[in-house]
Amino acid sequence: MKVTLTFDNGPTAPVTSQVLDTLQRYGVRATFFLVAQNLRQPENRAAAERAAAEGHWIGNHTLTHTVQLGDSDDPRLPEREIGEAQELIGDLASPGRLFRPYGGGGILDGKLLSPAGLTYLQRNAHTCVLWNCVPHDWDQPDQWVDRCLQDVTTREWSLVVLHDLPTGAMDHLPRFLDGLRELGADIVQDFPHSCVPLQAGRLTLPVDHLLTR
Ligand SMILES: [Zn+2]
C-alpha cells in the first residue's frame, strides 16, 4: 500500500513550519500546493523556501482560491488564477509546473476545470494533480486521522489532501504518520497516474467529467 501526502492552501507560516518539523522528524517528503497570494507575506515565503530546500515539491493551487475554474465566465480567470500564481511561486516551483485546481470541498466534478482553463494548462505545460483521498481535516480537525487511516487501506495508492492551515488538524499529523507506519504503508512523494490527467501539458486521462459543459 502506497500513500502520497499533499498539503494545500498554505503556506501559513506557523502551521507550515509545524508540518515541516513533523515531516522532517519522520523522514517524509510531500508536496505543498500553495495559494500563491499567501507568498506576499515574507514569513510565508520563508516557510515555502524552507519546504523546497528540504526536498518537498512546490505546486500551484491558484492565486486566491476563491473561484473554481468551471464556475466563472471570466476569460481572464486562467491567466490570473494560474498564471499570476505561477509567477509569484517563481523559482520555488518544482519541475512539471504542478497545478492543483481549487476543489471546492474535494468533489471531482464539472466545476473543477473549464475549457479555457484546460487549454491554458496545456499551453503552459502544466501537470494537473488531483487526489483520491480527502479526509476533511479542514472541517473535522480532530476526527480526520482515524477516518483517513481506514480509507487508505481501501486502495493500493492513496493521494491524500491535507491542509497546512491553522485549524488544529496538523497537531494530529504525528499520530497519522505513526498510524501509517503501523499499517506498513510506503509513503512516497510521487503521484499515482490515476490522479494526474495532464502531464506537462499532455492529456493522459479523460477529463470530460471535470469540465463545465
Ligand atoms: Zn484548496
Side-chain angles (χ1 to χ4, degrees), residues 112-186:
L112 208 62
L113 297 173
S114 63
L118 179 62
T119 301
Y120 187 90
L121 291 169
Q122 289 176 295
R123 283 198 184 138
N124 291 281
H126 281 282
T127 297
C128 183
V129 182
L130 303 179
W131 54 81
N132 60 19
C133 181
V134 181
H136 276 250
D137 61 304
W138 72 89
D139 57 4
Q140 295 176 315
D142 296 319
Q143 287 96 37
W144 66 272
V145 169
D146 292 326
R147 182 181 321 112
C148 194
L149 289 172
Q150 163 65 35
D151 190 56
V152 298
T153 65
T154 65
R155 65 179 77 75
E156 250 175 65
W157 192 348
S158 295
L159 204 178
V160 182
V161 179
L162 298 172
H163 298 81
D164 46 331
L165 291 175
T167 60
M170 290 303 98
D171 295 347
H172 306 296
L173 185 60
R175 189 162 73 80
F176 177 61
L177 294 173
D178 285 335
L180 289 179
R181 275 185 181 172
E182 279 165 31
L183 290 172
D186 190 10

Side-chain angles (χ1 to χ4, degrees), residues 8-9 35 61 65 101-104 163:
D8 289 9
N9 296 23
V35 173
H61 189 39
H65 202 266
Y102 167 35
H163 298 81

Side-chain angles (χ1 to χ4, degrees), residues 71-94:
D71 209 15
S72 165
D73 294 329
D74 180 356
R76 289 161 307 172
L77 190 73
E79 175 58 45
R80 191 171 67 240
E81 284 294 325
I82 306 169
E84 285 184 31
Q86 196 69 28
E87 246 171 67
L88 264 174
I89 293 168
D91 60 8
L92 292 178
S94 298

